[in-house]
Coordinates of all heavy atoms in Angstrom, one line a residue:
M1 N 47.8 57.3 -42.3 CA 48.2 56.3 -41.5 C 49.3 55.6 -42.2 O 49.3 55.4 -43.4 CB 47.0 55.3 -41.4 CG 47.4 54.0 -40.6 SD 46.0 52.8 -40.4 CE 44.7 53.8 -39.7
D2 N 50.4 55.3 -41.5 CA 51.5 54.6 -42.1 C 51.5 53.1 -41.6 O 50.7 52.7 -40.8 CB 52.9 55.3 -41.9 CG 53.3 55.2 -40.4 OD1 52.4 54.8 -39.5 OD2 54.3 55.7 -40.1
V3 N 52.4 52.3 -42.2 CA 52.4 50.8 -42.0 C 52.7 50.6 -40.5 O 52.1 49.7 -39.9 CB 53.3 50.1 -42.9 CG1 54.8 50.3 -42.7 CG2 53.0 48.7 -42.8
A4 N 53.6 51.3 -39.9 CA 53.9 51.1 -38.5 C 52.8 51.4 -37.5 O 52.5 50.6 -36.6 CB 55.2 52.0 -38.0
E5 N 52.1 52.4 -37.8 CA 50.9 52.7 -37.0 C 49.7 51.7 -37.3 O 49.1 51.2 -36.2 CB 50.3 54.1 -37.4 CG 49.0 54.5 -36.6 CD 48.4 55.8 -37.1 OE1 49.1 56.5 -37.9 OE2 47.3 56.1 -36.5
A6 N 49.6 51.3 -38.5 CA 48.6 50.3 -38.7 C 48.9 49.0 -38.1 O 48.0 48.3 -37.5 CB 48.4 50.0 -40.2
L7 N 50.1 48.6 -38.1 CA 50.5 47.3 -37.4 C 50.3 47.4 -36.0 O 49.9 46.4 -35.3 CB 51.9 46.9 -37.9 CG 52.1 46.4 -39.2 CD1 53.5 46.2 -39.5 CD2 51.3 45.1 -39.4
A8 N 50.7 48.6 -35.4 CA 50.6 48.7 -33.9 C 49.1 48.6 -33.5 O 48.7 48.1 -32.5 CB 51.2 50.0 -33.5
R9 N 48.3 49.2 -34.3 CA 46.8 49.2 -34.0 C 46.2 47.9 -34.2 O 45.3 47.4 -33.4 CB 46.1 50.3 -34.8 CG 46.6 51.7 -34.3 CD 46.0 52.8 -35.1 NE 44.5 52.9 -34.8 CZ 43.7 53.8 -35.5 NH1 44.3 54.6 -36.4 NH2 42.4 53.8 -35.3
L10 N 46.7 47.2 -35.2 CA 46.2 45.8 -35.4 C 46.6 44.9 -34.3 O 45.8 44.1 -33.8 CB 46.7 45.2 -36.8 CG 46.1 45.8 -38.0 CD1 47.0 45.3 -39.2 CD2 44.6 45.4 -38.3
E11 N 47.8 45.0 -33.8 CA 48.3 44.1 -32.8 C 47.6 44.4 -31.5 O 47.1 43.5 -30.7 CB 49.8 44.4 -32.5 CG 50.4 43.5 -31.5 CD 51.9 43.6 -31.5 OE1 52.5 44.5 -32.0 OE2 52.5 42.7 -30.8
A12 N 47.2 45.7 -31.2 CA 46.5 46.1 -30.0 C 45.1 45.6 -30.0 O 44.5 45.3 -28.9 CB 46.5 47.6 -29.9
A13 N 44.5 45.5 -31.2 CA 43.1 45.1 -31.4 C 42.9 43.5 -31.4 O 41.7 43.0 -31.3 CB 42.5 45.7 -32.6
G14 N 44.0 42.7 -31.5 CA 43.9 41.3 -31.7 C 43.6 40.7 -30.3 O 43.8 41.1 -29.4
T15 N 42.8 39.5 -30.5 CA 42.5 38.7 -29.4 C 42.8 37.3 -29.5 O 42.8 36.8 -30.7 CB 41.0 38.8 -28.9 OG1 40.2 38.2 -30.0 CG2 40.5 40.3 -28.8
E16 N 43.1 36.5 -28.4 CA 43.4 35.1 -28.5 C 42.2 34.4 -29.1 O 42.3 33.4 -29.8 CB 43.8 34.6 -27.1 CG 44.2 33.2 -27.2 CD 45.3 32.9 -28.1 OE1 46.3 33.8 -28.3 OE2 45.3 31.8 -28.8
Q17 N 40.9 34.7 -28.6 CA 39.8 34.0 -29.1 C 39.7 34.1 -30.7 O 39.4 33.1 -31.3 CB 38.6 34.6 -28.4 CG 37.2 33.9 -28.9 CD 37.3 32.5 -28.4 OE1 37.8 32.0 -27.5 NE2 36.6 31.6 -29.4
N18 N 39.9 35.3 -31.2 CA 39.8 35.4 -32.6 C 40.9 34.7 -33.4 O 40.7 34.1 -34.4 CB 39.9 36.9 -33.1 CG 38.6 37.7 -32.9 OD1 37.6 37.0 -32.8 ND2 38.7 39.0 -32.8
R19 N 42.2 34.6 -32.8 CA 43.3 33.9 -33.3 C 42.8 32.4 -33.4 O 43.1 31.6 -34.4 CB 44.5 34.0 -32.6 CG 45.2 35.4 -32.8 CD 46.6 35.4 -32.1 NE 46.6 35.5 -30.7 CZ 46.4 36.6 -30.0 NH1 46.3 37.8 -30.7 NH2 46.4 36.7 -28.7
K20 N 42.2 31.8 -32.3 CA 41.8 30.5 -32.3 C 40.8 30.2 -33.5 O 40.9 29.2 -34.2 CB 41.2 30.1 -30.9 CG 42.2 29.9 -29.9 CD 41.6 29.7 -28.6 CE 40.5 28.7 -28.5 NZ 39.9 28.5 -27.0
I21 N 39.8 31.2 -33.6 CA 38.7 30.9 -34.6 C 39.4 31.0 -36.0 O 39.1 30.2 -36.9 CB 37.7 32.0 -34.5 CG1 36.9 31.7 -33.2 CG2 36.7 32.1 -35.6 CD1 36.0 32.9 -32.7
Y22 N 40.3 32.0 -36.3 CA 40.8 32.2 -37.6 C 41.7 30.9 -37.9 O 41.7 30.5 -39.1 CB 41.6 33.4 -37.7 CG 40.8 34.7 -37.6 CD1 41.4 35.9 -37.3 CD2 39.5 34.7 -37.7 CE1 40.6 37.1 -37.2 CE2 38.6 35.9 -37.6 CZ 39.3 37.1 -37.3 OH 38.6 38.2 -37.3
R23 N 42.4 30.5 -37.0 CA 43.3 29.2 -37.3 C 42.4 28.1 -37.6 O 42.8 27.3 -38.5 CB 44.2 29.0 -36.1 CG 45.3 29.9 -35.9 CD 46.2 29.6 -34.8 NE 47.3 30.5 -34.6 CZ 47.4 31.2 -33.4 NH1 46.7 30.9 -32.4 NH2 48.4 32.2 -33.3
R24 N 41.3 27.9 -36.9 CA 40.4 26.9 -37.1 C 39.8 26.9 -38.6 O 39.5 25.9 -39.1 CB 39.2 26.9 -36.1 CG 38.4 25.7 -36.2 CD 37.3 25.6 -35.1 NE 37.5 26.4 -34.0 CZ 36.6 27.2 -33.4 NH1 35.4 27.3 -33.8 NH2 37.0 27.9 -32.3
H25 N 39.7 28.1 -39.1 CA 39.2 28.3 -40.4 C 40.3 28.4 -41.4 O 40.0 28.8 -42.6 CB 38.2 29.5 -40.5 CG 37.0 29.3 -39.7 ND1 36.0 28.5 -40.3 CD2 36.6 29.6 -38.5 CE1 35.0 28.5 -39.4 NE2 35.4 29.1 -38.3
G26 N 41.6 28.1 -41.1 CA 42.6 28.1 -42.1 C 43.6 29.1 -42.1 O 44.5 29.1 -42.9
A27 N 43.5 30.1 -41.3 CA 44.4 31.2 -41.2 C 45.8 30.7 -40.7 O 45.7 29.8 -39.9 CB 44.0 32.4 -40.5
R28 N 46.8 31.2 -41.2 CA 48.2 30.8 -40.7 C 48.9 31.9 -40.0 O 48.6 33.1 -40.3 CB 49.0 30.3 -41.9 CG 48.4 29.1 -42.6 CD 49.4 28.4 -43.5 NE 48.8 27.3 -44.0 CZ 48.6 27.0 -45.4 NH1 49.1 28.0 -46.3 NH2 48.1 26.0 -45.8
D29 N 49.7 31.6 -39.1 CA 50.6 32.6 -38.5 C 51.5 33.3 -39.5 O 51.9 32.6 -40.5 CB 51.3 32.0 -37.3 CG 50.5 31.6 -36.2 OD1 49.5 32.4 -35.9 OD2 50.8 30.6 -35.5
P30 N 51.9 34.4 -39.3 CA 51.6 35.4 -38.2 C 50.2 36.0 -38.3 O 49.8 36.4 -39.4 CB 52.7 36.4 -38.2 CG 53.0 36.5 -39.7 CD 52.8 35.1 -40.3
L31 N 49.5 36.2 -37.3 CA 48.2 36.8 -37.2 C 48.0 37.3 -35.8 O 48.4 36.9 -34.8 CB 47.1 35.9 -37.7 CG 46.6 34.8 -36.7 CD1 45.1 34.8 -36.8 CD2 47.2 33.5 -37.1
F32 N 47.3 38.4 -35.7 CA 46.9 39.1 -34.5 C 45.6 38.7 -34.0 O 45.3 38.8 -32.8 CB 46.9 40.7 -34.6 CG 48.4 41.2 -35.0 CD1 48.5 42.1 -36.0 CD2 49.5 40.9 -34.2 CE1 49.7 42.6 -36.3 CE2 50.7 41.3 -34.6 CZ 50.8 42.3 -35.7
G33 N 44.6 38.4 -34.8 CA 43.3 38.0 -34.4 C 42.3 39.2 -34.3 O 41.6 39.4 -33.3
V34 N 42.4 40.1 -35.3 CA 41.6 41.3 -35.3 C 40.2 41.0 -35.8 O 40.1 40.4 -36.9 CB 42.3 42.5 -36.0 CG1 41.5 43.7 -36.0 CG2 43.7 42.6 -35.5
S35 N 39.1 41.5 -35.2 CA 37.8 41.3 -35.7 C 37.6 42.2 -37.0 O 38.2 43.1 -37.2 CB 36.8 41.7 -34.7 OG 36.8 43.2 -34.5
F36 N 36.7 41.6 -37.7 CA 36.4 42.3 -39.0 C 35.7 43.7 -38.8 O 35.9 44.6 -39.6 CB 35.5 41.5 -39.8 CG 36.3 40.5 -40.7 CD1 36.8 39.4 -40.1 CD2 36.6 40.8 -42.1 CE1 37.7 38.5 -40.9 CE2 37.5 40.0 -42.7 CZ 37.9 38.8 -42.3
A37 N 35.1 43.9 -37.6 CA 34.5 45.3 -37.3 C 35.6 46.2 -37.1 O 35.6 47.4 -37.6 CB 33.7 45.2 -36.0
V38 N 36.7 45.8 -36.4 CA 37.9 46.7 -36.3 C 38.6 46.9 -37.6 O 38.9 48.0 -37.9 CB 38.8 46.1 -35.2 CG1 40.1 47.0 -35.2 CG2 38.2 46.1 -33.8
L39 N 38.7 45.9 -38.4 CA 39.4 46.0 -39.7 C 38.6 47.0 -40.6 O 39.3 47.8 -41.3 CB 39.5 44.6 -40.4 CG 40.5 43.6 -39.8 CD1 40.3 42.3 -40.4 CD2 41.9 44.2 -40.1
H40 N 37.3 46.9 -40.6 CA 36.5 47.8 -41.4 C 36.7 49.2 -40.9 O 36.8 50.2 -41.8 CB 35.0 47.4 -41.4 CG 34.7 46.3 -42.3 ND1 34.8 46.3 -43.7 CD2 34.4 45.0 -42.0 CE1 34.5 45.1 -44.1 NE2 34.3 44.3 -43.1
A41 N 36.7 49.5 -39.6 CA 37.0 50.8 -39.1 C 38.2 51.4 -39.5 O 38.4 52.5 -39.9 CB 36.8 50.8 -37.5
L42 N 39.3 50.5 -39.4 CA 40.6 51.0 -39.8 C 40.7 51.3 -41.3 O 41.4 52.2 -41.7 CB 41.7 50.0 -39.5 CG 42.0 49.8 -38.0 CD1 43.0 48.6 -37.8 CD2 42.7 51.1 -37.5
A43 N 40.0 50.5 -42.1 CA 39.9 50.7 -43.6 C 39.2 52.1 -43.9 O 39.7 52.7 -44.7 CB 39.2 49.5 -44.3
R44 N 38.2 52.3 -43.2 CA 37.5 53.6 -43.4 C 38.4 54.8 -43.0 O 38.4 55.7 -43.7 CB 36.2 53.7 -42.6 CG 35.0 53.0 -43.2 CD 33.7 53.3 -42.5 NE 33.7 52.9 -41.1 CZ 33.5 51.8 -40.6 NH1 33.1 50.8 -41.4 NH2 33.4 51.5 -39.3
E45 N 39.2 54.6 -42.0 CA 40.0 55.7 -41.6 C 41.2 55.9 -42.6 O 41.6 57.0 -42.9 CB 40.6 55.3 -40.2 CG 41.5 56.5 -39.5 CD 41.9 56.0 -38.2 OE1 41.2 55.4 -37.4 OE2 43.1 56.5 -37.9
A46 N 41.7 54.8 -43.1 CA 42.9 54.9 -44.1 C 42.4 55.2 -45.3 O 43.3 55.8 -46.1 CB 43.6 53.5 -44.0
E47 N 41.1 55.1 -45.8 CA 40.7 55.3 -47.1 C 41.4 54.5 -48.1 O 42.0 53.5 -47.8 CB 40.7 56.8 -47.4 CG 39.8 57.6 -46.4 CD 39.8 59.1 -46.6 OE1 40.8 59.5 -47.3 OE2 39.0 59.8 -46.1
R48 N 41.4 54.8 -49.4 CA 42.2 54.2 -50.4 C 43.6 54.6 -50.4 O 43.9 55.8 -50.5 CB 41.5 54.4 -51.8 CG 40.1 53.9 -51.9 CD 40.2 52.4 -52.1 NE 38.8 51.8 -52.2 CZ 38.5 50.6 -51.7 NH1 39.4 49.9 -51.1 NH2 37.3 50.3 -51.7
D49 N 44.5 53.7 -50.3 CA 45.9 54.0 -50.2 C 46.7 52.9 -50.8 O 47.0 51.9 -50.1 CB 46.3 54.3 -48.8 CG 47.7 54.9 -48.6 OD1 48.5 54.7 -49.5 OD2 47.9 55.5 -47.5
G50 N 47.1 52.9 -52.0 CA 47.7 51.9 -52.6 C 49.1 51.5 -52.0 O 49.6 50.4 -51.9
A51 N 49.8 52.6 -51.7 CA 51.2 52.5 -51.0 C 51.1 51.7 -49.7 O 51.9 50.8 -49.3 CB 51.8 53.8 -50.9
L52 N 50.1 52.2 -48.9 CA 49.8 51.4 -47.6 C 49.5 50.0 -47.8 O 50.0 49.1 -47.1 CB 48.8 52.2 -46.8 CG 48.3 51.5 -45.5 CD1 49.5 51.4 -44.5 CD2 47.2 52.3 -44.9
A53 N 48.6 49.8 -48.8 CA 48.2 48.4 -49.1 C 49.4 47.5 -49.4 O 49.5 46.4 -49.0 CB 47.2 48.4 -50.2
A54 N 50.2 48.0 -50.3 CA 51.5 47.3 -50.7 C 52.4 47.0 -49.5 O 52.9 45.8 -49.3 CB 52.2 48.0 -51.8
S55 N 52.6 47.9 -48.6 CA 53.4 47.8 -47.5 C 52.8 46.8 -46.5 O 53.5 45.9 -45.9 CB 53.6 49.1 -46.7 OG 54.3 50.0 -47.6
L56 N 51.4 46.9 -46.3 CA 50.8 46.0 -45.4 C 50.9 44.5 -45.9 O 51.1 43.5 -45.3 CB 49.3 46.3 -45.2 CG 49.1 47.6 -44.3 CD1 47.6 48.0 -44.5 CD2 49.4 47.3 -42.9
W57 N 50.7 44.3 -47.2 CA 50.7 43.0 -47.8 C 52.1 42.4 -47.7 O 52.4 41.2 -47.3 CB 50.4 43.1 -49.3 CG 50.2 41.7 -49.9 CD1 51.2 41.0 -50.5 CD2 49.1 40.8 -49.9 NE1 50.7 39.8 -50.9 CE2 49.3 39.7 -50.5 CE3 47.8 41.1 -49.4 CZ2 48.5 38.7 -50.7 CZ3 46.9 40.1 -49.6 CH2 47.2 38.8 -50.2
A58 N 53.1 43.2 -47.8 CA 54.5 42.8 -47.7 C 54.9 42.2 -46.3 O 55.9 41.4 -46.2 CB 55.5 43.9 -48.1
T59 N 54.2 42.6 -45.3 CA 54.4 42.1 -44.0 C 54.2 40.6 -43.9 O 54.8 39.9 -43.0 CB 53.6 42.8 -42.8 OG1 52.3 42.5 -43.1 CG2 53.8 44.3 -43.0
G60 N 53.3 40.1 -44.6 CA 52.9 38.6 -44.5 C 52.0 38.3 -43.4 O 51.6 37.2 -43.2
N61 N 51.6 39.3 -42.6 CA 50.7 39.1 -41.5 C 49.2 39.0 -42.0 O 48.8 39.8 -42.8 CB 50.8 40.3 -40.5 CG 49.9 40.1 -39.3 OD1 48.6 40.4 -39.5 ND2 50.4 39.7 -38.3
Y62 N 48.5 38.0 -41.5 CA 47.2 37.7 -42.0 C 46.2 38.8 -41.9 O 45.6 39.2 -42.8 CB 46.6 36.5 -41.2 CG 45.2 36.1 -41.5 CD1 44.9 35.3 -42.6 CD2 44.1 36.5 -40.7 CE1 43.7 34.9 -42.9 CE2 42.8 36.1 -41.1 CZ 42.7 35.4 -42.2 OH 41.4 35.0 -42.5
D63 N 46.2 39.5 -40.7 CA 45.3 40.7 -40.5 C 45.8 41.9 -41.4 O 44.9 42.6 -41.9 CB 45.4 41.1 -39.0 CG 45.0 40.0 -38.2 OD1 43.8 39.6 -38.2 OD2 45.9 39.4 -37.6
A64 N 47.1 42.1 -41.5 CA 47.6 43.2 -42.3 C 47.2 43.0 -43.8 O 46.9 43.9 -44.5 CB 49.1 43.3 -42.2
R65 N 47.2 41.7 -44.2 CA 46.9 41.5 -45.6 C 45.4 41.6 -45.9 O 44.9 42.1 -46.9 CB 47.3 40.0 -46.0 CG 48.7 40.0 -46.2 CD 49.2 38.6 -46.7 NE 50.5 38.7 -47.3 CZ 51.2 37.8 -47.9 NH1 50.6 36.6 -48.2 NH2 52.4 38.0 -48.4
I66 N 44.5 41.3 -44.9 CA 43.1 41.6 -45.1 C 42.9 43.1 -45.1 O 42.1 43.6 -46.0 CB 42.3 41.1 -44.0 CG1 42.3 39.5 -44.0 CG2 40.9 41.5 -43.9 CD1 41.7 38.8 -42.9
L67 N 43.5 43.9 -44.3 CA 43.4 45.3 -44.3 C 44.0 45.9 -45.6 O 43.4 46.8 -46.2 CB 44.1 46.0 -43.1 CG 44.0 47.5 -42.9 CD1 42.6 48.0 -42.9 CD2 44.9 48.0 -41.7
A68 N 45.1 45.3 -46.1 CA 45.6 45.7 -47.4 C 44.6 45.6 -48.6 O 44.4 46.5 -49.4 CB 46.8 44.9 -47.8
C69 N 43.8 44.4 -48.5 CA 42.8 44.2 -49.5 C 41.6 45.3 -49.5 O 41.1 45.7 -50.4 CB 42.2 42.8 -49.4 SG 43.4 41.5 -49.9
M70 N 41.4 45.8 -48.2 CA 40.4 46.7 -48.0 C 40.7 48.2 -48.4 O 39.9 48.9 -48.7 CB 39.9 46.7 -46.5 CG 39.3 45.5 -46.0 SD 38.9 45.6 -44.3 CE 37.9 44.1 -44.0
V71 N 41.9 48.4 -48.4 CA 42.4 49.7 -48.6 C 43.1 50.0 -50.0 O 43.4 51.1 -50.4 CB 43.4 50.4 -47.6 CG1 42.8 50.4 -46.2 CG2 44.7 49.6 -47.5
A72 N 43.3 48.9 -50.7 CA 44.0 48.8 -52.0 C 43.1 49.7 -53.0 O 41.9 49.7 -53.0 CB 44.1 47.5 -52.5
D73 N 43.9 50.4 -53.9 CA 43.2 51.1 -54.9 C 43.1 50.2 -56.1 O 44.0 49.9 -56.8 CB 44.1 52.3 -55.3 CG 43.4 53.2 -56.3 OD1 42.3 53.0 -56.7 OD2 44.2 54.2 -56.8
Q74 N 41.9 49.7 -56.2 CA 41.6 48.7 -57.3 C 41.8 49.3 -58.7 O 42.2 48.5 -59.6 CB 40.1 48.2 -57.1 CG 39.9 47.5 -55.8 CD 38.5 47.2 -55.5 OE1 37.6 47.7 -56.3 NE2 38.2 46.7 -54.4
A75 N 41.6 50.5 -58.9 CA 41.8 51.1 -60.3 C 43.2 51.1 -60.6 O 43.6 51.0 -61.8 CB 41.2 52.5 -60.3
A76 N 44.2 51.2 -59.6 CA 45.6 51.4 -59.9 C 46.2 49.9 -59.9 O 47.4 49.8 -60.3 CB 46.3 52.1 -58.9
A77 N 45.5 48.9 -59.5 CA 46.1 47.5 -59.5 C 46.3 47.0 -61.0 O 45.6 47.2 -61.8 CB 45.2 46.6 -58.7
T78 N 47.4 46.2 -61.0 CA 47.7 45.5 -62.3 C 47.7 44.0 -61.9 O 47.7 43.5 -60.9 CB 49.0 46.0 -62.8 OG1 50.0 45.5 -61.9 CG2 49.1 47.4 -63.0
E79 N 47.7 43.2 -63.1 CA 47.7 41.8 -62.9 C 48.9 41.3 -62.2 O 49.0 40.4 -61.5 CB 47.6 41.1 -64.3 CG 47.2 39.6 -64.2 CD 47.0 39.0 -65.5 OE1 46.2 39.6 -66.3 OE2 47.3 37.9 -65.8
A80 N 50.0 41.9 -62.5 CA 51.3 41.6 -62.0 C 51.3 41.8 -60.5 O 51.9 41.2 -59.7 CB 52.4 42.3 -62.7

């Protein structure tokens, strides 16, 4: 999975109801409003991928950043 495919799938899975809930709990735009069930399914499909995680994080999108945290290779992460 590459970043373009991941973003397209996140956008397709987002709902207005989830966006309202996430904003109420402090999430900021941009966000798609993807449920955590879908995020976990995408993370399982992508497996551990540090490059994908870095690209997703760089988008600044709330949902993409959550997915980035799920697929990041923790062993390869540095403090910087």
Side-chain angles (χ1 to χ4, degrees):
M1 178 181 308
D2 64 358
V3 70
E5 179 186 355
L7 288 174
R9 292 178 67 181
L10 288 169
E11 185 173 12
T15 66
E16 183 58 36
Q17 181 62 35
N18 282 342
R19 284 189 289 274
K20 284 173 51 177
I21 291 169
Y22 294 163
R23 286 182 187 123
R24 188 174 339 135
H25 291 280
R28 296 194 178 123
D29 287 324
L31 73 146
F32 297 130
V34 180
S35 72
F36 275 80
V38 172
L39 287 168
H40 284 292
L42 287 172
R44 279 191 300 275
E45 186 179 325
E47 299 177 345
R48 295 281 175 219
D49 188 341
L52 175 61
S55 297
L56 287 169
W57 188 268
T59 66
N61 181 281
Y62 179 80
D63 304 285
R65 284 185 165 191
I66 292 173
L67 183 58
C69 292
M70 293 177 171
V71 300
D73 184 6
Q74 298 167 359
T78 65
E79 190 174 322

